[in-house]
Amino acid sequence: MGRHSCCYKQKLRKGLWSPEEDEKLLSYITKHGHGCWSSVPKLAGLQRCGKSCRLRWINYLRPDLKRGAFSPEEENSIIELHALLGNRWSQIAAQLPGRTDNEIKNLWNSSLKKKLRQKGIDPNTHQPISELAENNDKEKHAEIEKNNNQIPIQKSSVGSNEVNLFETPKDNNCNYPLEINSKINNNSSCFISSENMVGLGSSSSSYLSFQQVNYGINNIALSSNSNNNNNNNSLCFIPSTSGGSTSMSELNSSTMFHSIQNWEFNNNNNGSKSSNESSSNNNNINFNDQIQDHNQVIEDIKWSEYLNTTPLFLGNNNNDDNTIQQHHSTTIYSDDEIKQEMGFIHNSDIYSSSNNNKDFQRFSLAFGQTL
DNA sequence: AATCTACCCAACCGCCCTTAT
DNA sequence: GATAAGGGCGGTTGGGTAGAT
C-alpha cells in the first residue's frame, strides 16, 4: 500500500514538535479522545499528519508515561525479554508499564547492546561471544541478526494448528541454503518462539515441528558435513534451569544441555501427532538409518520436499508424556560430551516461565561444539 | 575557543495487517 | 475479491549535545 495519503499533502509540518503544538494536541485528546487519528490534526488545529499526531501522543504526551532514566531492574527486564522475544519492541514495551517501544528500542540500540558486549554476551543471540566471533566477521553477525529478525513468509497448518513458516536463508553462491560452517564456528544460535510450536492438545504438551525449524534443520544437514572433520557438531538446545524463567544471559559455556539423539520423521497423514499416539508407530522412520554418509546426505536431501510433506517432531523423555518419550529419550551431556545425535525436543525441555504462557517460551537451538 | 566525534533520542519512513467499502 | 485507508510496528535518520582533542 505504501505511504499514507495524508503524507502526500502539502504544507504539513515535520520535525520536532513545538510546545504550542503539544498543547493543542494534548488539549484536544484530553477533551475528545483521539478517535480517528487522520482527523485529529484538523480538529486540533495542527499542520501535521494524523500519523505524526499519533506518534507524538503515544511516545511523549500520553499521561501514563513514566519518563526518566530506566532503572537497573527495567534494563534487566528488557534484556531478558529481548532474549525471549527478539526485536519485538512493542511486546517488550507491553511488559514495562509507562515505557514505549520507541524508548526501549533506543535504549537497546544505544546502551544495552553495548553493555552486553562488554560482558562478553552477543546481544543478538544472548550467547557468550566466542573468540572467533569476537575476531569479527561483521557479515556473519549481520546475517545472524537478519535471521533473528526473520518474519514468517506464510502461514501453514500442522494438524489443527496454524503455524508460521520461515524461509530458509539462501546463500547465492551456494546450492545449500546456508553456508553453515561459519555459524558453527561462531557457536551461534537460532531462536524460535513458542508461537511456532505445534500444540498437541494441551499447552504443556507441544512439539517443535520440522516446519518451524527448517532453518535449523538445514543447518544441521550442513553441519554434518564431515569436511568439518569434527564429530562434535550437534543440534543442541538449552534446557530450563530448575523452575522459573531462565535468562539467556545466565547461560554460559558450562551450561548443561541436551544433545539431540535421533532424527525421526512422523509420517502420519495429517501431520500432527496426538499425545496418546504411540511413537512405535510404524510410520516413524528412523532418520539415522537413512544416513550413510553425511556428505551424501547434503547432496541428496531435498529439504523442501520434507517441508511440504513431513513434519518432524522433536520430543523428549519428559515423564509427563509417557507415550512419545518412551522411545525417544534424550540425554543430558556436558558440553565436552556432545554427540552427533539427533532427536526430539519437547516444550517442557525448553526454558519457560510458565507452560501456559506461550508468549514467554522460546527455544534456543544452538549449533556448535560448545555454548 | 573551536572543531571533531560519538552518542542519544525524537521523529520519520516504509511496510504489513486489518477493516471498511 | 479488489481496493483504499487507518493503525501499528520495526528500522533508520538526522539534529542536538556532551565530551574529547
Side-chain angles (χ1 to χ4, degrees):
Chain A
M1 203 183 74
R3 300 178 67 180
H4 294 225
S5 59
C6 66
C7 299
Y8 293 109
K9 291 178 183 172
Q10 301 296 310
K11 297 179 182 175
L12 293 183
R13 274 179 55 82
K14 290 172 71 175
L16 296 178
W17 281 64
S18 68
E20 293 74 26
E21 286 179 307
D22 280 345
E23 175 56 34
K24 283 182 179 177
L25 183 60
L26 181 61
S27 158
Y28 175 80
I29 294 180
T30 303
K31 284 180 187 168
H32 306 98
H34 63 72
C36 174
W37 281 111
S38 59
S39 61
V40 165
K42 188 179 175 185
L43 295 170
L46 291 162
Q47 299 294 312
R48 296 270 181 176
C49 72
K51 203 170 180 177
S52 180
C53 293
R54 174 185 164 270
L55 208 64
R56 186 62 179 171
W57 173 259
I58 289 174
N59 287 339
Y60 190 78
L61 296 175
R62 206 158 38 108
D64 58 333
L65 289 179
K66 197 178 265 184
R67 308 279 180 86
F70 282 79
S71 69
E73 291 75 24
E74 285 178 311
E75 291 190 355
N76 289 335
S77 294
I78 292 168
I79 291 169
E80 291 197 8
L81 287 164
H82 186 272
L84 294 168
L85 300 166
N87 294 355
R88 294 187 177 101
W89 307 116
S90 60
Q91 289 183 35
I92 293 173
Q95 305 300 320
L96 294 163
R99 300 298 187 182
T100 70
D101 54 356
N102 208 34
E103 204 175 6
I104 291 168
K105 180 171 56 184
N106 284 333
L107 178 73
W108 177 262
N109 287 326
S110 64
S111 169
L112 296 184
K113 269 169 120 174
K114 201 190 305 170
K115 284 185 182 175
L116 285 177
R117 285 204 184 95
Q118 284 170 351
K119 289 180 182 176
I121 296 168
D122 186 325
N124 298 318
T125 64
H126 293 263
Q127 299 295 302
I129 299 170
S130 72
E131 283 185 20
L132 206 68
E134 205 150 28
N135 282 346
N136 84 58
D137 188 329
K138 299 279 170 76
E139 278 186 20
K140 290 168 190 167
H141 270 291
E143 183 172 34
I144 290 165
E145 184 146 10
K146 180 183 159 194
N147 293 336
N148 283 343
N149 291 334
Q150 268 188 301
I151 55 173
I153 56 170
Q154 65 178 101
K155 297 274 188 183
S156 182
S157 294
V158 176
S160 60
N161 302 281
E162 190 175 59
V163 298
N164 294 323
L165 296 183
F166 288 83
E167 184 174 29
T168 301
K170 297 288 193 300
D171 179 343
N172 293 334
N173 301 317
C174 172
N175 290 327
Y176 306 135
L178 189 67
E179 199 286 290
I180 184 58
N181 290 339
S182 62
K183 295 182 81 69
I184 296 169
N185 292 334
N186 265 344
N187 296 330
S188 60
S189 301
C190 173
F191 298 95
I192 299 172
S193 71
S194 61
E195 68 189 15
N196 295 316
M197 293 172 64
V198 182
L200 296 175
S202 78
S203 60
S204 62
S205 180
S206 300
Y207 288 82
L208 183 59
S209 86
F210 187 4
Q211 288 177 302
Q212 283 79 58
V213 292
N214 59 21
Y215 169 64
I217 295 297
N218 277 297
N219 286 356
I220 295 159
L222 293 165
S223 75
S224 298
N225 190 335
S226 61
N227 288 338
N228 284 330
N229 198 24
N230 186 336
N231 289 327
N232 285 335
N233 295 329
S234 305
L235 167 63
C236 308
F237 75 97
I238 300 167
S240 62
T241 55
S242 54
S245 62
T246 303
S247 162
M248 295 302 291
S249 59
E250 295 170 17
L251 302 166
N252 55 42
S253 60
S254 64
T255 303
M256 301 285 284
F257 57 96
H258 295 231
S259 176
I260 309 303
Q261 290 195 306
N262 302 288
W263 283 114
E264 193 148 338
F265 291 122
N266 174 347
N267 271 353
N268 62 6
N269 290 333
N270 64 8
S272 67
K273 193 168 190 165
S274 65
S275 59
N276 60 0
E277 181 180 352
S278 167
S279 58
S280 61
N281 186 328
N282 289 334
N283 287 333
N284 290 335
I285 300 167
N286 188 323
F287 191 54
N288 280 340
D289 292 341
Q290 298 179 349
I291 301 179
Q292 302 297 320
D293 178 331
H294 288 308
N295 284 330
Q296 190 61 41
V297 169
I298 292 166
E299 294 297 330
D300 290 345
I301 284 179
K302 307 288 188 218
W303 291 104
S304 59
E305 294 176 10
Y306 291 120
L307 292 178
N308 290 332
T309 61
T310 315
L312 169 68
F313 289 90
L314 306 173
N316 81 333
N317 62 343
N318 184 284
N319 289 332
D320 294 336
D321 188 333
N322 59 9
T323 54
I324 297 174
Q325 56 92 8
Q326 292 171 0
H327 303 279
H328 311 299
S329 63
T330 54
T331 307
I332 297 178
Y333 295 97
S334 62
D335 57 358
D336 59 351
E337 293 176 324
I338 304 168
K339 296 179 179 178
Q340 189 163 349
E341 295 175 327
M342 295 170 276
F344 294 83
I345 293 175
H346 185 274
N347 79 332
S348 59
D349 272 347
I350 65 173
Y351 72 92
S352 64
S353 57
S354 162
N355 277 334
N356 292 322
N357 190 349
K358 289 188 173 185
D359 287 340
F360 289 90
Q361 296 177 350
R362 186 164 265 248
F363 293 99
S364 175
L365 302 175
F367 308 94
Q369 301 95 320
T370 58
L371 293 174

